[in-house]
Coordinates of all heavy atoms in Angstrom, one line a residue:
M1 N 105.5 -10.3 86.4 CA 105.5 -10.0 87.8 C 106.9 -10.3 88.5 O 107.5 -11.2 88.1 CB 104.4 -10.9 88.5 CG 104.3 -10.8 90.0 SD 103.0 -11.8 90.5 CE 103.7 -12.6 91.9
N2 N 107.3 -9.3 89.3 CA 108.5 -9.5 90.0 C 108.3 -10.5 91.2 O 107.5 -10.2 92.1 CB 109.1 -8.2 90.5 CG 109.6 -7.3 89.4 OD1 109.9 -7.8 88.3 ND2 109.7 -6.1 89.6
D3 N 109.1 -11.5 91.2 CA 109.1 -12.4 92.3 C 109.6 -11.8 93.6 O 110.6 -11.0 93.5 CB 109.8 -13.7 92.0 CG 109.2 -14.5 90.9 OD1 107.9 -14.4 90.7 OD2 109.9 -15.2 90.2
R4 N 109.1 -12.1 94.7 CA 109.6 -11.6 96.0 C 111.0 -12.1 96.3 O 111.8 -11.4 96.8 CB 108.6 -11.9 97.1 CG 109.1 -11.4 98.5 CD 108.0 -11.7 99.5 NE 108.5 -11.2 100.8 CZ 107.8 -11.3 101.9 NH1 106.6 -11.8 101.9 NH2 108.3 -10.9 103.1
F5 N 111.1 -13.5 96.0 CA 112.4 -14.1 96.3 C 113.1 -14.5 95.1 O 112.5 -14.9 94.1 CB 112.1 -15.4 97.2 CG 111.6 -15.0 98.6 CD1 110.3 -15.0 98.9 CD2 112.6 -14.7 99.6 CE1 109.9 -14.7 100.2 CE2 112.1 -14.3 100.8 CZ 110.8 -14.3 101.1
L6 N 114.5 -14.4 95.1 CA 115.3 -14.8 94.0 C 116.2 -16.0 94.4 O 116.6 -16.1 95.5 CB 116.2 -13.6 93.7 CG 115.5 -12.3 93.3 CD1 116.6 -11.1 93.3 CD2 114.9 -12.4 92.0
Q7 N 116.5 -16.8 93.4 CA 117.4 -17.9 93.5 C 118.8 -17.2 93.5 O 119.0 -16.1 93.0 CB 117.3 -18.9 92.4 CG 116.0 -19.6 92.4 CD 115.9 -20.6 91.3 OE1 116.9 -20.9 90.6 NE2 114.7 -21.1 91.0
L8 N 119.8 -17.9 94.1 CA 121.2 -17.4 94.1 C 121.7 -17.2 92.7 O 122.4 -16.2 92.4 CB 122.1 -18.3 94.8 CG 121.9 -18.5 96.4 CD1 123.0 -19.2 97.0 CD2 121.7 -17.1 97.0
S9 N 121.3 -18.0 91.7 CA 121.7 -17.9 90.3 C 121.1 -16.6 89.8 O 121.8 -15.9 89.0 CB 121.3 -19.0 89.5 OG 119.8 -19.2 89.5
D10 N 119.9 -16.2 90.2 CA 119.4 -14.9 89.7 C 120.1 -13.7 90.3 O 120.4 -12.7 89.6 CB 117.9 -14.8 90.2 CG 117.0 -15.8 89.5 OD1 117.3 -16.2 88.4 OD2 116.0 -16.2 90.2
V11 N 120.5 -13.8 91.6 CA 121.3 -12.8 92.2 C 122.6 -12.6 91.5 O 123.1 -11.5 91.2 CB 121.4 -13.1 93.7 CG1 122.4 -12.1 94.4 CG2 120.1 -13.1 94.4
A12 N 123.2 -13.8 91.2 CA 124.5 -13.7 90.6 C 124.5 -13.0 89.2 O 125.3 -12.2 88.8 CB 125.1 -15.1 90.4
E13 N 123.4 -13.3 88.5 CA 123.2 -12.7 87.2 C 122.9 -11.2 87.3 O 123.5 -10.4 86.6 CB 122.0 -13.3 86.5 CG 121.8 -12.8 85.1 CD 120.7 -13.5 84.3 OE1 120.4 -14.7 84.6 OE2 120.1 -12.9 83.4
I14 N 122.1 -10.7 88.3 CA 121.8 -9.3 88.5 C 123.1 -8.6 88.9 O 123.4 -7.5 88.3 CB 120.8 -9.2 89.6 CG1 119.4 -9.7 89.1 CG2 120.7 -7.7 90.1 CD1 118.4 -9.9 90.1
L15 N 123.9 -9.2 89.8 CA 125.2 -8.5 90.2 C 126.4 -8.7 89.2 O 127.4 -8.1 89.4 CB 125.5 -9.0 91.6 CG 124.6 -8.6 92.7 CD1 125.0 -9.2 94.0 CD2 124.4 -7.1 92.8
N16 N 126.1 -9.6 88.2 CA 127.2 -9.9 87.3 C 128.4 -10.5 88.0 O 129.6 -10.1 87.8 CB 127.6 -8.8 86.4 CG 128.3 -9.1 85.2 OD1 128.2 -10.3 84.7 ND2 129.2 -8.2 84.7
I17 N 128.2 -11.5 88.9 CA 129.2 -12.2 89.6 C 129.0 -13.7 89.5 O 127.9 -14.1 89.0 CB 129.3 -11.7 91.1 CG1 128.0 -12.1 91.9 CG2 129.7 -10.2 91.2 CD1 128.0 -11.7 93.4
S18 N 129.9 -14.4 90.0 CA 129.8 -15.9 89.9 C 128.8 -16.4 91.0 O 128.6 -15.7 92.0 CB 131.1 -16.6 90.0 OG 131.6 -16.5 91.4
A19 N 128.3 -17.6 90.8 CA 127.5 -18.3 91.7 C 128.2 -18.5 93.1 O 127.7 -18.3 94.1 CB 127.0 -19.6 91.2
S20 N 129.5 -18.8 93.0 CA 130.3 -19.0 94.2 C 130.5 -17.7 95.0 O 130.5 -17.7 96.2 CB 131.6 -19.7 93.9 OG 132.4 -18.9 93.1
Q21 N 130.6 -16.6 94.3 CA 130.7 -15.3 94.9 C 129.4 -14.9 95.6 O 129.4 -14.4 96.7 CB 131.1 -14.2 93.9 CG 132.5 -14.3 93.5 CD 132.8 -13.3 92.4 OE1 132.1 -13.2 91.4 NE2 133.9 -12.5 92.5
T22 N 128.3 -15.3 95.0 CA 127.0 -15.0 95.6 C 126.8 -15.9 96.8 O 126.4 -15.4 97.9 CB 125.9 -15.3 94.6 OG1 126.1 -14.6 93.4 CG2 124.5 -15.0 95.1
Y23 N 127.2 -17.1 96.7 CA 127.1 -18.0 97.9 C 127.9 -17.5 99.0 O 127.5 -17.5 100.2 CB 127.5 -19.4 97.5 CG 127.3 -20.4 98.6 CD1 126.1 -20.9 99.0 CD2 128.5 -21.0 99.2 CE1 126.0 -21.8 100.1 CE2 128.4 -21.9 100.3 CZ 127.1 -22.3 100.7 OH 127.0 -23.2 101.7
A24 N 129.1 -17.0 98.8 CA 130.0 -16.5 99.8 C 129.4 -15.2 100.4 O 129.5 -15.1 101.7 CB 131.4 -16.1 99.2
L25 N 128.7 -14.4 99.7 CA 128.0 -13.2 100.3 C 126.9 -13.6 101.2 O 126.8 -13.0 102.3 CB 127.4 -12.3 99.2 CG 128.4 -11.5 98.3 CD1 127.6 -10.9 97.1 CD2 129.1 -10.5 99.1
V26 N 126.2 -14.7 100.9 CA 125.1 -15.2 101.7 C 125.7 -15.8 103.0 O 125.3 -15.6 104.1 CB 124.2 -16.1 100.9 CG1 123.3 -16.9 101.8 CG2 123.4 -15.4 99.8
R27 N 126.7 -16.7 102.8 CA 127.2 -17.4 103.9 C 128.0 -16.5 104.9 O 128.0 -16.8 106.1 CB 128.2 -18.5 103.4 CG 127.5 -19.6 102.7 CD 126.6 -20.5 103.6 NE 127.4 -21.3 104.5 CZ 127.1 -21.7 105.7 NH1 125.9 -21.5 106.1 NH2 127.9 -22.4 106.4
S28 N 128.5 -15.4 104.4 CA 129.2 -14.4 105.3 C 128.2 -13.6 106.1 O 128.6 -12.9 107.0 CB 130.1 -13.6 104.5 OG 129.4 -12.6 103.7
G29 N 126.9 -13.6 105.6 CA 125.9 -12.7 106.2 C 125.8 -11.3 105.6 O 125.0 -10.5 106.0
E30 N 126.7 -11.1 104.7 CA 126.7 -9.7 104.1 C 125.4 -9.5 103.2 O 124.9 -8.4 103.2 CB 128.0 -9.6 103.2 CG 128.2 -8.2 102.7 CD 129.6 -8.1 102.0 OE1 130.4 -9.0 102.1 OE2 129.8 -7.1 101.4
L31 N 124.9 -10.6 102.6 CA 123.7 -10.5 101.9 C 122.7 -11.5 102.6 O 122.8 -12.7 102.5 CB 123.9 -11.0 100.4 CG 122.7 -11.0 99.5 CD1 122.0 -9.7 99.5 CD2 123.1 -11.5 98.1
P32 N 121.7 -10.9 103.3 CA 120.8 -11.7 104.0 C 120.0 -12.6 103.1 O 119.5 -12.2 102.0 CB 119.8 -10.8 104.7 CG 120.6 -9.5 104.8 CD 121.5 -9.5 103.6
A33 N 119.8 -13.9 103.5 CA 119.0 -14.8 102.7 C 118.3 -15.8 103.7 O 118.7 -15.9 104.8 CB 119.9 -15.6 101.8
I34 N 117.4 -16.6 103.1 CA 116.8 -17.7 103.9 C 117.0 -19.0 103.2 O 117.3 -19.1 102.0 CB 115.3 -17.4 104.1 CG1 114.6 -17.3 102.7 CG2 115.1 -16.2 104.9 CD1 113.0 -17.3 102.8
K35 N 117.0 -20.1 104.0 CA 117.1 -21.4 103.4 C 115.7 -22.1 103.6 O 115.2 -22.1 104.8 CB 118.2 -22.2 104.3 CG 118.8 -23.3 103.5 CD 120.0 -23.8 104.3 CE 120.7 -24.9 103.5 NZ 121.8 -25.5 104.2
I36 N 115.2 -22.5 102.6 CA 113.8 -23.1 102.6 C 113.7 -24.5 102.0 O 114.6 -24.9 101.3 CB 112.8 -22.2 101.9 CG1 113.1 -22.0 100.5 CG2 112.7 -20.8 102.6 CD1 112.0 -21.2 99.7
G37 N 112.7 -25.2 102.4 CA 112.4 -26.5 101.8 C 113.3 -27.6 102.4 O 114.3 -27.3 103.1
G38 N 112.9 -28.8 102.1 CA 113.6 -30.0 102.6 C 115.0 -30.1 102.1 O 115.9 -30.7 102.7
R39 N 115.3 -29.5 100.9 CA 116.6 -29.6 100.3 C 117.4 -28.4 100.6 O 118.6 -28.2 100.2 CB 116.5 -29.8 98.8 CG 115.9 -31.1 98.4 CD 115.7 -31.3 97.0 NE 116.9 -31.1 96.2 CZ 116.9 -30.9 94.9 NH1 115.8 -30.9 94.2 NH2 118.1 -30.7 94.3
G40 N 116.9 -27.4 101.4 CA 117.6 -26.3 101.9 C 118.0 -25.3 100.7 O 119.2 -25.0 100.6
Q41 N 117.1 -24.9 99.9 CA 117.3 -24.0 98.8 C 117.5 -22.6 99.3 O 116.6 -22.1 100.1 CB 116.2 -24.1 97.8 CG 116.1 -25.4 97.1 CD 117.3 -25.8 96.3 OE1 117.7 -25.0 95.4 NE2 117.8 -27.0 96.4
W42 N 118.5 -21.9 99.0 CA 118.7 -20.5 99.4 C 117.9 -19.6 98.6 O 117.8 -19.8 97.3 CB 120.2 -20.1 99.2 CG 121.1 -20.7 100.2 CD1 121.9 -21.8 100.0 CD2 121.3 -20.3 101.6 NE1 122.6 -22.1 101.2 CE2 122.2 -21.1 102.2 CE3 120.8 -19.3 102.4 CZ2 122.7 -21.0 103.5 CZ3 121.2 -19.2 103.7 CH2 122.1 -20.0 104.2
R43 N 117.3 -18.6 99.2 CA 116.5 -17.5 98.5 C 116.9 -16.2 99.1 O 117.0 -16.0 100.3 CB 115.0 -17.8 98.6 CG 114.5 -19.0 98.0 CD 114.6 -18.9 96.4 NE 114.1 -20.1 95.8 CZ 114.8 -21.2 95.5 NH1 116.1 -21.2 95.7 NH2 114.3 -22.2 94.8
V44 N 116.9 -15.2 98.3 CA 117.3 -13.8 98.7 C 116.0 -13.0 98.3 O 115.6 -13.0 97.2 CB 118.5 -13.3 97.9 CG1 118.7 -11.8 98.3 CG2 119.7 -14.1 98.3
E45 N 115.5 -12.3 99.3 CA 114.4 -11.4 99.1 C 114.9 -10.2 98.3 O 115.9 -9.6 98.5 CB 113.8 -10.9 100.4 CG 112.5 -10.3 100.3 CD 111.8 -10.1 101.7 OE1 112.3 -10.5 102.7 OE2 110.6 -9.7 101.6
R46 N 114.1 -9.9 97.3 CA 114.5 -8.8 96.4 C 114.8 -7.5 97.1 O 115.8 -6.8 96.8 CB 113.3 -8.5 95.4 CG 113.7 -7.6 94.2 CD 112.5 -7.5 93.2 NE 112.3 -8.7 92.5 CZ 113.0 -9.1 91.4 NH1 114.0 -8.3 91.0 NH2 112.8 -10.2 90.8
S47 N 114.0 -7.2 98.2 CA 114.3 -6.0 98.9 C 115.6 -6.0 99.6 O 116.3 -5.0 99.8 CB 113.2 -5.7 100.0 OG 113.1 -6.8 100.9
E48 N 116.1 -7.2 100.1 CA 117.4 -7.4 100.7 C 118.5 -7.2 99.7 O 119.5 -6.6 100.0 CB 117.5 -8.8 101.4 CG 116.6 -9.0 102.6 CD 117.0 -8.2 103.8 OE1 118.1 -7.5 103.8 OE2 116.2 -8.1 104.7
L49 N 118.3 -7.7 98.5 CA 119.3 -7.4 97.4 C 119.4 -5.9 97.1 O 120.5 -5.4 97.0 CB 118.9 -8.2 96.2 CG 119.8 -8.0 95.0 CD1 121.3 -8.3 95.3 CD2 119.3 -8.7 93.8
E50 N 118.3 -5.2 97.1 CA 118.3 -3.8 96.8 C 119.0 -3.1 97.9 O 119.8 -2.1 97.7 CB 116.9 -3.2 96.6 CG 116.3 -3.7 95.3 CD 117.1 -3.3 94.0 OE1 117.7 -2.3 94.0 OE2 117.1 -4.2 93.1
A51 N 118.8 -3.5 99.2 CA 119.4 -2.9 100.3 C 120.9 -3.2 100.3 O 121.8 -2.3 100.6 CB 118.8 -3.4 101.7
Y52 N 121.3 -4.4 99.9 CA 122.7 -4.7 99.8 C 123.4 -3.8 98.7 O 124.5 -3.3 98.9 CB 122.9 -6.2 99.4 CG 124.3 -6.5 98.9 CD1 125.3 -6.7 99.9 CD2 124.7 -6.6 97.6 CE1 126.6 -7.0 99.5 CE2 125.9 -6.8 97.2 CZ 126.9 -7.0 98.2 OH 128.2 -7.3 97.8
I53 N 122.7 -3.6 97.6 CA 123.3 -2.7 96.5 C 123.5 -1.3 97.0 O 124.5 -0.7 96.8 CB 122.4 -2.8 95.3 CG1 122.5 -4.2 94.6 CG2 122.8 -1.7 94.3 CD1 121.4 -4.4 93.5
Q54 N 122.5 -0.8 97.8 CA 122.6 0.6 98.3 C 123.8 0.7 99.3 O 124.5 1.7 99.3 CB 121.3 1.0 99.0 CG 120.2 1.2 98.0 CD 120.6 2.3 96.9 OE1 121.1 3.3 97.2 NE2 120.4 1.9 95.7
R55 N 124.0 -0.4 100.2 CA 125.1 -0.4 101.1 C 126.4 -0.4 100.3 O 127.4 0.3 100.7 CB 125.0 -1.6 102.0 CG 124.0 -1.5 103.1 CD 124.1 -2.6 104.2 NE 124.2 -3.9 103.7 CZ 123.1 -4.7 103.4 NH1 121.9 -4.2 103.6 NH2 123.3 -5.9 103.0
A56 N 126.5 -1.1 99.2 CA 127.7 -1.2 98.4 C 128.0 0.2 97.8 O 129.2 0.6 97.8 CB 127.5 -2.2 97.3
Y57 N 127.0 0.9 97.4 CA 127.2 2.3 96.9 C 127.7 3.2 97.9 O 128.6 4.0 97.7 CB 125.9 2.9 96.3 CG 125.6 2.5 94.9 CD1 124.4 1.8 94.5 CD2 126.5 2.8 93.8 CE1 124.2 1.5 93.2 CE2 126.2 2.5 92.5 CZ 125.0 1.8 92.2 OH 124.8 1.5 90.9
E58 N 127.1 3.1 99.1 CA 127.5 3.9 100.3 C 129.0 3.6 100.6 O 129.8 4.6 100.9 CB 126.6 3.8 101.5 CG 125.2 4.3 101.2 CD 124.2 3.8 102.3 OE1 124.6 3.2 103.3 OE2 123.0 4.0 102.0
Q59 N 129.4 2.4 100.7 CA 130.7 2.0 101.0 C 131.7 2.4 99.9 O 132.8 2.9 100.2 CB 130.8 0.4 101.2 CG 130.1 0.0 102.4 CD 129.9 -1.6 102.4 OE1 130.3 -2.3 101.5 NE2 129.4 -2.1 103.5
T60 N 131.3 2.4 98.7 CA 132.1 2.8 97.6 C 132.3 4.3 97.7 O 133.5 4.8 97.5 CB 131.5 2.4 96.2 OG1 131.4 1.0 96.2 CG2 132.4 2.9 95.1
R61 N 131.2 5.1 97.9 CA 131.4 6.5 98.0 C 132.4 6.9 99.2 O 133.2 7.8 99.0 CB 130.0 7.2 98.3 CG 129.2 7.4 97.1 CD 128.0 8.3 97.3 NE 126.9 7.6 98.1 CZ 126.0 6.8 97.5 NH1 126.0 6.7 96.2 NH2 125.1 6.3 98.3
A62 N 132.3 6.2 100.3 CA 133.2 6.5 101.4 C 134.6 6.1 101.0 O 135.5 6.9 101.4 CB 132.7 5.7 102.7
F63 N 134.8 5.0 100.4 CA 136.2 4.6 99.9 C 136.7 5.7 99.0 O 137.9 6.1 99.1 CB 136.1 3.3 99.2 CG 137.4 2.9 98.7 CD1 138.4 2.3 99.4 CD2 137.7 3.1 97.3 CE1 139.7 2.0 98.9 CE2 138.9 2.8 96.7 CZ 139.9 2.3 97.5
V64 N 135.9 6.1 98.0 CA 136.4 7.1 97.0 C 136.8 8.4 97.7 O 137.8 9.0 97.4 CB 135.4 7.3 95.9 CG1 135.7 8.5 95.0 CG2 135.3 6.0 95.1
A65 N 135.9 8.8 98.7 CA 136.2 10.1 99.4 C 137.4 10.0 100.2 O 138.2 11.0 100.3 CB 135.0 10.4 100.3
A66 N 137.7 8.8 100.8 CA 138.9 8.7 101.7 C 140.1 8.4 100.8 O 141.3 8.5 101.4 CB 138.6 7.5 102.6
N67 N 140.0 7.9 99.6 CA 141.1 7.6 98.8 C 141.0 8.2 97.4 O 140.8 7.5 96.4 CB 141.2 6.0 98.6 CG 141.3 5.3 99.9 OD1 142.4 5.3 100.5 ND2 140.2 4.8 100.4
P68 N 141.2 9.5 97.3 CA 141.1 10.2 96.0 C 142.1 9.6 95.0 O 143.2 9.3 95.4 CB 141.3 11.6 96.3 CG 141.9 11.7 97.6 CD 141.6 10.4 98.4
M69 N 141.7 9.6 93.7 CA 142.6 9.1 92.7 C 143.6 10.2 92.3 O 143.2 11.3 92.1 CB 141.7 8.7 91.5 CG 142.5 7.9 90.4 SD 141.3 7.2 89.3 CE 141.6 8.2 87.8
S70 N 144.9 9.8 92.3 CA 145.9 10.8 91.8 C 145.9 10.9 90.3 O 145.3 10.1 89.6 CB 147.3 10.3 92.3 OG 147.7 9.2 91.5
R71 N 146.4 12.0 89.9 CA 146.4 12.3 88.4 C 147.2 11.3 87.6 O 147.0 11.0 86.5 CB 147.0 13.7 88.1 CG 146.1 14.8 88.6 CD 146.7 16.1 88.2 NE 145.8 17.2 88.7 CZ 145.6 18.2 88.0 NH1 146.1 18.4 86.9 NH2 144.7 19.1 88.5
N72 N 148.2 10.6 88.3 CA 149.1 9.6 87.6 C 148.5 8.2 87.7 O 149.1 7.3 87.1 CB 150.5 9.7 88.2 CG 151.2 11.0 88.0 OD1 150.9 11.7 87.1 ND2 152.0 11.4 89.0
E73 N 147.4 8.0 88.4 CA 146.9 6.7 88.6 C 146.1 6.3 87.3 O 145.2 7.1 86.8 CB 145.9 6.7 89.8 CG 145.5 5.3 90.2 CD 144.7 5.3 91.5 OE1 144.6 6.3 92.2 OE2 144.0 4.3 91.7
A74 N 146.4 5.2 86.8 CA 145.7 4.7 85.6 C 144.4 4.0 86.0 O 144.2 3.5 87.0 CB 146.6 3.6 84.9
M75 N 143.4 4.1 85.0 CA 142.1 3.5 85.2 C 142.3 2.0 85.0 O 142.9 1.5 84.1 CB 141.1 4.0 84.2 CG 140.8 5.5 84.3 SD 139.8 5.8 85.8 CE 138.3 5.0 85.3
P76 N 141.7 1.2 86.0 CA 141.8 -0.3 85.8 C 140.9 -0.7 84.6 O 139.9 -0.1 84.3 CB 141.2 -0.8 87.1 CG 140.4 0.3 87.6 CD 141.0 1.5 87.1
E77 N 141.3 -1.8 83.9 CA 140.6 -2.4 82.8 C 139.7 -3.4 83.4 O 140.0 -4.1 84.3 CB 141.5 -2.9 81.8 CG 142.3 -1.9 81.1 CD 143.2 -2.4 80.0 OE1 142.8 -3.5 79.5 OE2 144.2 -1.8 79.7
D78 N 138.5 -3.6 82.8 CA 137.6 -4.7 83.2 C 138.0 -6.0 82.6 O 138.5 -6.2 81.6 CB 136.1 -4.4 82.7 CG 135.4 -3.5 83.7 OD1 135.8 -3.4 84.9 OD2 134.4 -2.9 83.3

């Protein structure tokens, strides 16, 4: 069963980023999340993560359209 809410560590794993990068996305408001419980545990709703991913795709498409790659530009390495 897919849980409705994800821990920040789960989000980090899904996005293949660090826990600190995930926390920064939440704290900046770029990735909506809630703080629950007495210890203030952060949770991200799965639908909010999917919406964030879709926004990232849209932003990337807009960037690529506005900044076409030249023939001499090398591909970056991972």
Side-chain angles (χ1 to χ4, degrees):
M1 178 173 133
N2 286 339
D3 294 331
R4 178 177 178 181
F5 292 96
L6 302 167
Q7 296 178 11
L8 294 189
S9 59
D10 297 327
V11 173
E13 185 175 332
I14 290 167
L15 295 177
N16 197 27
I17 61 175
S18 71
S20 60
Q21 288 172 310
T22 305
Y23 182 72
L25 287 173
V26 167
R27 292 291 289 154
S28 71
E30 194 171 345
L31 177 59
I34 59 173
K35 205 170 181 185
I36 60 171
R39 295 176 52 197
Q41 299 292 312
W42 287 101
R43 296 293 183 266
V44 175
E45 194 166 2
R46 189 174 293 277
S47 62
E48 291 292 349
L49 176 58
E50 291 303 323
Y52 168 78
I53 292 169
Q54 288 308 309
R55 286 192 306 275
Y57 275 121
E58 291 166 11
Q59 291 169 353
T60 301
R61 277 192 287 273
F63 173 82
V64 169
N67 301 283
M69 192 166 111
S70 70
R71 290 182 180 220
N72 297 331
E73 189 175 347
M75 295 288 294
E77 294 183 25
D78 275 339

